[in-house]
Amino acid sequence: MIQSRPKSVAAFNQAQQVIPGGVNSPVRALRSVGTTPLFVREAQGAYITDIDNNKYIDFCMSWGVFILGHNNPQVSQAAADAVMRGSSYGIPTEAETQLAEMVRSAVPTMERLRFVNSGTEATMSAIRVARGYTGRDILVKFEGNYHGHADHLLVAAGSAVANISNASSAGVPADFVKHTIVLPYNDTDALKKYFSANGDKVAAVIVEPVACNMGVVAPADGFLQTMRQLTEQYGALLIFDEVITGFRLSHGGAQQRFGITPDMTTVGKIVGGGFPAAAFGGREEIMQCLAPNGPVYQAGTLSGNPVAMAAGIATLTQLSAPNFYSNLEARSNEFIAKLKQIIEGKEIQLNHCGSMFTLFFNNKPVRNFQDTKQSNQERFAQYFRNMLSRGIYVSPSQFEGNFISACHTDEVLNYVLKSIEESI
Ligand SMILES: *Cc1c(COP(=O)(O)O)cnc(C)c1O
């Protein structure tokens, strides 16, 4: 049992003197689960070690980045080699083309793509392109979906925004969000109704094809299909935000898993192999709107950074191994089946898709943001702390997913199952 982390507590106090809340991203403060952060010294495979020398099984995995586990030897070596050749030039490198080709061969709907530094930039840029291409302003998003922290997307957002009272941010002028329309997730009728009245004004619909930032919520039957049909009918673009689901739910992401063809796609997290890289892309004629070919401006000093590209190439190379995803899926399914037995009859909902899952402390199924908000936050916080004391770092918010990696062996997963049984 892990009892205390005095060095982490001291480090957190010191951090708060210089960094707001002591963290560079709000959810890391662990406030909603009633504790303070551990400070990490290093991570390896499925484990992280804090500065007090406590070792934890990690289920957050840098929010899904490390599908191969922490500090994968090939990825780290490729990044280290790239650093030794210089870490940025502001001049093209062949690695950018190589990774772009790898992304496109996995996600063929990204006929042309461009690299940026974060998922936020990827969705922001994709939306600008969609507006430039269609000449329309309205963006439709779904309640509890998170697409990064650009102004016009901070409306009814998931992830750590969900912990703010109305799931929107102060500092965003109403004028900036008046073109953002929010609809409930998994509500096909609301979507039809909105489109029948306003469809010809919609530039794009952006969606997490499997919601991962209100906890994991899979799409209801027909939800994505209807979205595809309506956007096509009304000349709006469909943007799949696959920043989490890309290279996670299959080699080709959620669009491959569900057999839907979006017009544009964003990927992030996994694609940078643990370095700041993300990408947005789509049909060639749409992406040709980007400068220098077209009138939509978008740029970045560190975009296509050679260290991130090298890490991305080393990651995607391993993910294209035969059976990588079928093995991960099989192990995840076995874990989920056992977990289902453990929670049976306990007023807990288990939502899952592939190697991602969330436990909700609800007594009825969770299909949208309002349902996720019914989860008992105190029970979740207690569960988080119980797991932490058993040496397991689950994602520290009700509104996030947990991620199984290639390094979560049966032995690791069995220990986790036993701990969940004790913790709930
Ligand atoms: C994480 C995430 C983002 C934002 O990515 P950052 O790299 O944190 O800016 C956008 N969309 C989805 C679906 C995400 O999960």
Side-chain angles (χ1 to χ4, degrees):
M1 292 293 245
I2 292 167
Q3 305 290 3
S4 67
R5 354 178 245 282
K7 287 186 180 159
S8 281
V9 170
F12 187 48
N13 287 337
Q14 191 180 347
Q16 284 174 291
Q17 304 309 310
V18 63
I19 299 170
V23 291
N24 285 305
S25 199
V27 71
R28 295 181 198 169
L30 306 196
R31 225 176 261 187
S32 71
V33 286
T35 184
T36 57
L38 46 98
F39 275 59
V40 177
R41 195 184 65 208
E42 61 177 82
Q44 192 68 52
Y47 295 93
I48 44 182
T49 305
D50 71 14
I51 57 176
D52 290 289
N53 227 12
N54 299 309
K55 199 171 171 184
Y56 307 83
I57 294 168
D58 187 9
F59 262 107
C60 180
M61 301 308 281
S62 194
W63 306 103
V65 167
F66 290 113
I67 193 167
L68 294 168
H70 288 285
N71 196 12
N72 173 268
Q74 285 99 305
V75 175
S76 297
Q77 188 62 54
D81 291 348
V83 167
M84 298 311 286
R85 295 188 297 268
S87 61
S88 178
Y89 318 112
I91 299 172
T93 62
E94 291 170 302
E96 294 159 65
T97 310
Q98 194 187 339
L99 184 57
E101 286 173 350
M102 291 174 87
V103 170
R104 181 173 62 182
S105 86
V107 189
T109 63
M110 298 175 83
E111 293 174 359
R112 295 288 184 277
L113 61 130
R114 192 170 268 181
F115 289 106
V116 290
N117 304 292
S118 68
T120 295
E121 264 188 86
T123 58
M124 194 179 84
S125 307
I127 290 162
R128 187 179 303 141
V129 169
R131 286 174 163 157
Y133 176 78
T134 58
R136 302 174 181 178
D137 291 334
I138 289 187
L139 174 73
V140 174
K141 82 175 281 287
F142 298 95
E143 210 181 6
N145 278 193
Y146 178 70
H147 305 293
H149 65 94
D151 281 330
H152 54 287
L153 289 165
L154 281 180
V155 199
S159 191
V161 195
N163 292 317
I164 308 178
S165 57
N166 59 357
S168 298
S169 172
V172 177
D175 265 6
F176 286 20
V177 296
K178 70 179 181 204
H179 299 300
T180 306
I181 303 300
V182 182
L183 298 178
Y185 194 73
N186 272 339
D187 189 338
T188 305
D189 288 340
L191 192 61
K192 282 184 184 157
K193 202 169 150 208
Y194 183 79
F195 263 87
S196 70
N198 308 285
D200 56 355
K201 298 190 204 75
V202 176
V205 175
I206 187 166
V207 65
E208 287 186 71
V210 173
C212 306
N213 288 287
M214 50 173 156
V216 173
V217 179
D221 283 348
F223 181 57
L224 297 174
Q225 287 79 359
T226 303
M227 200 180 295
R228 175 65 284 185
Q229 186 260 315
L230 288 171
T231 43
E232 199 166 323
Q233 181 185 341
Y234 287 91
L237 299 186
L238 177 58
I239 306 173
F240 268 16
D241 181 356
E242 299 226 40
V243 170
I244 281 192
T245 57
F247 303 101
R248 164 66 58 184
L249 290 180
S250 76
H251 196 46
Q255 54 194 272
Q256 181 186 330
R257 195 179 176 104
F258 295 106
I260 309 245
T261 305
D263 301 295
M264 300 187 77
T265 300
T266 56
V267 293
K269 297 194 167 91
I270 291 174
V271 80
F275 291 84
F280 67 102
R283 283 211 315 274
E284 181 185 351
E285 55 164 337
I286 299 170
M287 291 297 286
Q288 292 300 354
C289 289
L290 274 175
N293 294 342
V296 177
Y297 190 70
Q298 182 277 334
T301 301
L302 292 175
S303 290
N305 174 266
V307 182
M309 296 297 105
I313 292 165
T315 299
L316 265 50
T317 301
Q318 294 175 73
L319 296 182
S320 63
N323 300 332
F324 177 86
Y325 287 96
S326 52
N327 288 341
L328 183 65
E329 186 91 9
R331 210 142 23 80
S332 302
N333 287 345
E334 197 179 319
F335 172 80
I336 293 293
K338 290 180 184 163
L339 186 49
K340 270 187 186 145
Q341 291 176 358
I342 289 173
I343 62 163
E344 207 173 293
K346 293 208 169 65
E347 296 208 354
I348 296 176
Q349 305 298 319
L350 169 61
N351 278 21
H352 61 94
C353 189
S355 53
M356 315 187 297
F357 70 96
T358 303
L359 291 180
F360 294 98
F361 293 84
N362 274 28
N363 55 13
K364 61 176 186 15
V366 174
R367 292 166 40 102
N368 60 38
F369 195 41
Q370 296 311 320
D371 293 342
T372 68
K373 288 185 146 185
Q374 300 304 313
S375 180
N376 186 322
Q377 297 290 310
E378 253 155 57
R379 277 181 77 199
F380 179 85
Q382 188 63 54
Y383 157 75
F384 173 86
R385 296 193 300 268
N386 290 349
M387 291 293 278
L388 196 65
S389 71
R390 284 166 176 77
I392 300 164
Y393 189 82
V394 297
S395 279
S397 163
Q398 181 66 84
F399 305 106
E400 308 283 358
N402 293 286
F403 301 94
I404 298 170
S405 82
C407 289
H408 289 76
T409 59
D410 289 340
E411 193 192 341
V412 169
L413 292 174
N414 285 331
Y415 175 75
V416 170
L417 286 166
K418 186 167 134 291
S419 304
I420 292 178
E421 192 162 17
E422 293 164 3
S423 294
I424 58 177

